[in-house]
Amino acid sequence: DDVESRGLGDVYKRQVFDEATCMQLYQKGMSDIKIGKHFGLSKNPIAAWRARNNLPSNSRSPQARMAFLNGR
């Protein structure tokens, strides 16, 4: 029963998680924690999303992050 409940919760969270909005928030320099709070999630799904998209953490300096993004 717990496994089934978690599975349904994960499906719901994936539906709520809008990747385009996530990217906009990321590009504004928001941390994983703040982006997660925007969606009502922990930082973990946001960190996993960044990893899937080969994006660095926003804990880097804004200059280092922009240099990385511009060099892609």
Side-chain angles (χ1 to χ4, degrees):
D1 200 26
D2 287 345
V3 173
E4 186 174 320
S5 297
R6 279 198 307 268
L8 293 174
D10 291 343
V11 169
Y12 174 74
K13 288 177 184 178
R14 281 196 297 273
Q15 290 172 345
V16 173
F17 186 92
D18 174 25
E19 291 199 18
T21 301
C22 192
M23 180 59 85
Q24 290 173 347
L25 297 174
Y26 173 82
Q27 289 175 335
K28 288 181 180 180
M30 289 179 73
S31 69
D32 293 354
I33 293 171
K34 288 183 180 180
I35 295 171
K37 283 184 180 180
H38 177 84
F39 292 107
L41 303 170
S42 72
K43 67 179 182 175
N44 297 335
I46 308 305
W49 168 81
R50 274 193 307 94
R52 283 193 309 274
N53 289 285
N54 297 316
L55 297 169
S57 170
N58 273 342
S59 62
R60 290 184 178 192
S61 72
Q63 296 84 2
R65 187 171 42 81
M66 289 310 296
F68 176 85
L69 293 174
N70 290 331
R72 292 181 71 188

